[in-house]
Each structure stands twice: as structure tokens, then as C-alpha cells.
Amino acid sequence: MNAAASARLLVPLCLAACLFGCGGAAAEHPASSAAQSLSPDPPQVEYLSSASTAAGFYDIVLHGDGTGNLVYYDYGTMQCVYLSSQPNSDHRDESDTSFLPTVVGGAWALADSRHLYVLKDTCPFANDEALEAGYLMRMEHSGQGRQTVPLPSDTRLFGGCAILGEDKMLTTLCQVKEDTSEEWYMAEVDFDTGTIRRRLDFEGASAVQLTGACARGPILILREPEKERRLCLYDVEQDALEPIPFDIEDETWCLDDTSGTIYCLEGSKICRYDVASGQRQSTGRSLPAGDWTEAAVNEFVDGYLSVTLSGPGEEDYDRIALCLATGEVFRPGMEDEGKPVTVAAVTPEGYLVKLGGIPVKYQDYTPDGVPFENEAFLSHYAMMDKADYWNDRPNWREFTNLAYEDYSLL
């Protein structure tokens, strides 16, 4: 089987990873400035949780040969277009600012107020060096001015990154040795010099996930063999890990990843814990009274805490969203194509929401190489007013999707 056919075999595996929008607040939100540190001027660290800016949202579309393109959802014009300097081209080669030479194995777009980033994992199963290659890329919001740092061929990327001082990227990498043993470490990526520096080894770790940040540094979930996962802060100035006193398996808290704030339950009362300072204080809000017996905290989005309240029966549960500013309780439950409608980004115009998906056909192969037609789903985004979302009114507004007019995986 040739390289193109091998790449097509990987399409269903990496499509979901390549074409997604992260839930939560937009990446413009700065990290908390309330940190207390040994230094009077702690480093500014911003976790990238979304590919959204104040003006629009970026996504990656995959092609059957393993290449990809950046597309842009413009909030002002309500159009989705290729992020291209050549609007009339076919966008299929390196001369086009939207083109990505490989997205096989998973590629993610993230953005802050200054740059657009693409993180692409190494894919050892591609059977083609060009498609296998992993990289970290930084560019202007227009797609121009690209700076690319290649990943070593023995190194895997598992997503999640933070920007240190507006110039360098922090992310977790895993080096896979010839004996298949793994070495996880905190990496500092310098796009100006094209280098990756190993800042801290996570000795004995079997998995590390960068899941948020505060002003003092990234927030991580660490797993060690035969041990429970634990939550830690990587203090950038001290170059050391600091435990965060929350049981990772406990469902009574969640992290606001861009501010470094944990929202947690103390009985029915809702508290906030600032990771940078270690201070816990009450929000002044409580869960609504009722005959529920258990509460699980799901997520925090734009000032709303999502909680599932459960009773004694299997079907006896209620998912609510509590506005911490007003104390109002909402029950959004919209679905599209049988999937929940979720907030992909907070924008000046309201919410960018992720819908059920756009079906596309693609050429797939059986294990013995026999071709057949299969179906995958492209990410589907729309805009909504905030009040409509929280009040369960499915009044989303579609983008005119010019990028997908002639799209095909066949």
C-alpha cells in the first residue's frame, strides 16, 4: 500500500483530534494577577485553551492525503474561509498561508492575542517521514510569518500549552526510548531560535497533562505507575513542582484553566481556590435546595458553574448551570444531531458553539487493503446569544462556510 493510502487509513483516527474546538473561555482572558510568589514580579503565564481571538476562530481541516488547511471563522462577516493569502487558489501547496504539510496523528490550533499556533504530534504509524513529522508552529493571525520548531522523531506531543512572557511556549513532551520506556518532561519552546529546552524531568511519571495555568506557572495532572493521579503546579521561577490539595478523582471541584482558579463544593456551598496564592474563599453562592444526595462539578464557563445533582435512582439527576454573579439557576440541554451543544469560545458577540458535526464521505480500507467508502464528521460551529444558550433556546446563527463548499475526502 502506498503512502497516500496509509495516510487515508489514519483519517478516522485523527479526524476528531484535528477538527475540534476546546470548550471554555476564549484565549484572550489573561492569567490571574493575584498570585503571591517569592518574587515581587512573578512571570506572566497564559494557558491557551481555545483557537479564538476577539475577531474570529481558527480550525484545521484534514485531507485524504494527510495534509491539512487552516480555516478561519470571521465573527464580523459570519463567513468561514481558508486562512489564505491566495483566495482563488486550491490551497494545496506550501505557497498558500493556510496549507499544513501534515496533520496525520493529530493537529491542534490555538491562539492568543498576538499569535496563532499549530501543535502537531509525531505519528510513528504513518509509514512516511513527511507525514510522520511532528512540529510546533507559530504565526501571525493572518497565517503569515511562520516559525516552525520540529519535534524529535522519538518525541510525542499530547497537547496543552502555556505561553511564558509572551515569547516562549511551555508544553509537556514524552521521549520514547528504544526499549519503549518513556521520559516525560516540561519543555520550553523558543520559536525565535527554533529550539526546545528541557526544563524539568517528571521522573517516574507514566503520563503528564498540562491542563491550565496561573501567574506562577502551568497546572498539571501527573500519573505515576500504580498510583492515583495528582494535581500539581509547576512553579516557573523555582523550577519545581508544588502539590495542589485536591483529590483528582473527587468530582466536587473543577478548574477554570485560564485563570488558575478552582471552584469547589463544601457541602452545598461553593468556594473558589486561587492556585497561585493558595487562598480559598467563599463565592457567597450555594447549590439550590432539593432532594438531591450527591453533586458532581462538571465545568466552569464564562461565570457559570455546571453541576450534576443526583438522587437515589439511576435516572434521578438534574444538570444545572449556576450563575455565580446572580445566583440564577439555568438548565441548558440543547442537542444537535444527538450531541450536546457546547460552548467552544466566548466572543464579544456571544458564544461560538460546537454543534453535532458535518458528515463527509472518505475512502477507507479494510485491514487487508480493500477500499470502501466510510463517513466521518467535520466540526460544525455556529454563533449564539448568551441568553439563548443558558435559557435553552436553539437560536444559533450559521456561518456561510465558503471553505467547505468544494470540500471532499474522497
Side-chain angles (χ1 to χ4, degrees), residues 30-368:
S32 169
S33 61
Q36 294 181 357
S37 173
L38 296 177
S39 168
D41 187 20
Q44 189 73 10
V45 182
E46 181 180 4
Y47 177 69
L48 300 188
S49 66
S50 169
S52 181
T53 70
F57 179 80
Y58 300 88
D59 199 13
I60 295 174
V61 65
L62 173 73
H63 299 290
D65 62 358
T67 63
N69 286 95
L70 287 159
V71 296
Y72 179 64
Y73 292 79
D74 190 305
Y75 297 150
T77 65
M78 287 299 292
Q79 291 182 335
C80 174
V81 298
Y82 284 101
L83 188 68
S84 175
S85 57
Q86 305 175 49
N88 296 321
S89 76
D90 63 2
H91 314 292
R92 303 294 287 116
D93 61 59
E94 297 275 3
S95 66
D96 193 288
T97 50
S98 74
F99 183 74
L100 297 172
T102 172
V103 293
V104 174
W108 301 265
L110 295 168
D112 61 17
S113 60
R114 300 174 69 228
H115 294 108
L116 170 64
Y117 303 85
V118 175
L119 286 67
K120 193 273 181 186
D121 188 21
T122 305
C123 183
F125 311 109
N127 298 321
D128 181 290
E129 288 187 8
L131 296 176
E132 175 184 337
Y135 56 82
L136 304 168
M137 187 182 292
R138 184 178 75 178
M139 66 194 80
E140 299 169 10
H141 287 161
S142 65
Q144 298 178 333
R146 291 190 178 186
Q147 297 169 295
T148 302
V149 180
L151 290 177
S153 59
D154 63 352
T155 299
R156 301 296 308 277
L157 167 74
F158 290 86
C161 70
I163 303 303
L164 174 63
E166 297 187 342
D167 291 317
K168 295 181 174 62
M169 175 185 287
L170 298 178
T171 189
T172 55
L173 298 177
C174 177
Q175 182 181 9
V176 183
K177 300 290 192 177
E178 290 186 3
D179 62 359
T180 71
S181 63
E182 298 178 347
E183 291 185 0
W184 293 78
Y185 61 96
M186 177 66 70
E188 178 183 289
V189 182
D190 189 324
F191 289 96
D192 293 327
T193 62
T195 58
I196 298 176
R197 181 167 76 91
R198 202 160 172 153
R199 286 186 64 118
L200 180 71
D201 290 333
F202 300 109
E203 296 182 5
S206 59
V208 182
Q209 177 186 357
L210 198 159
T211 191
C214 65
R216 288 172 55 198
I219 297 169
L220 309 163
I221 296 175
L222 273 72
R223 181 185 292 276
E224 297 172 336
E226 300 180 2
K227 293 183 180 180
E228 292 185 351
R229 297 178 299 166
R230 57 193 178 100
L231 197 64
C232 296
L233 166 67
Y234 171 59
D235 189 309
V236 172
E237 286 198 333
Q238 301 300 316
D239 197 29
L241 291 177
E242 179 180 307
I244 299 174
F246 285 86
D247 180 357
I248 198 70
E249 309 300 337
D250 190 350
E251 296 182 337
T252 61
W253 65 274
C254 71
L255 173 68
D256 178 11
D257 51 27
T258 57
S259 70
T261 302
I262 288 175
Y263 290 90
C264 55
L265 300 179
E266 292 184 354
S268 63
K269 295 182 179 179
I270 300 170
C271 298
R272 64 169 62 91
Y273 176 87
D274 182 76
V275 173
S277 65
Q279 295 181 344
R280 184 190 303 245
Q281 57 184 192
S282 174
T283 64
R285 301 298 178 191
S286 298
L287 298 177
D291 56 1
W292 55 270
T293 56
E294 294 183 3
V297 179
N298 303 309
E299 62 180 348
F300 180 81
V301 178
D302 194 32
Y304 294 80
L305 188 69
S306 173
V307 182
T308 299
L309 304 175
S310 302
E314 289 186 8
E315 303 297 325
D316 187 12
Y317 66 90
D318 185 18
R319 181 161 180 164
I320 66 168
L322 179 67
C323 178
L324 296 187
T326 65
E328 293 177 276
V329 174
F330 300 88
R331 289 174 171 81
M334 288 174 292
E335 291 189 349
D336 180 59
E337 301 293 339
K339 296 183 179 180
V341 176
T342 58
V343 176
V346 181
T347 82
E349 307 301 325
Y351 292 146
L352 178 77
V353 294
K354 186 174 183 181
L355 305 179
I358 303 172
V360 292
K361 304 292 184 182
Y362 70 94
Q363 186 73 58
D364 205 349
Y365 296 84
T366 64
D368 55 355

Side-chain angles (χ1 to χ4, degrees), residues 350-395:
Y351 292 146
L352 178 77
V353 294
K354 186 174 183 181
L355 305 179
I358 303 172
V360 292
K361 304 292 184 182
Y362 70 94
Q363 186 73 58
D364 205 349
Y365 296 84
T366 64
D368 55 355
V370 178
F372 70 98
E373 189 177 276
N374 207 340
E375 185 176 70
F377 290 86
L378 300 175
S379 294
H380 185 186
Y381 298 101
M383 293 294 297
M384 286 194 72
D385 292 337
K386 294 183 179 183
D388 282 344
Y389 182 86
W390 297 113
N391 286 284
D392 208 24
R393 298 189 291 258
N395 299 325

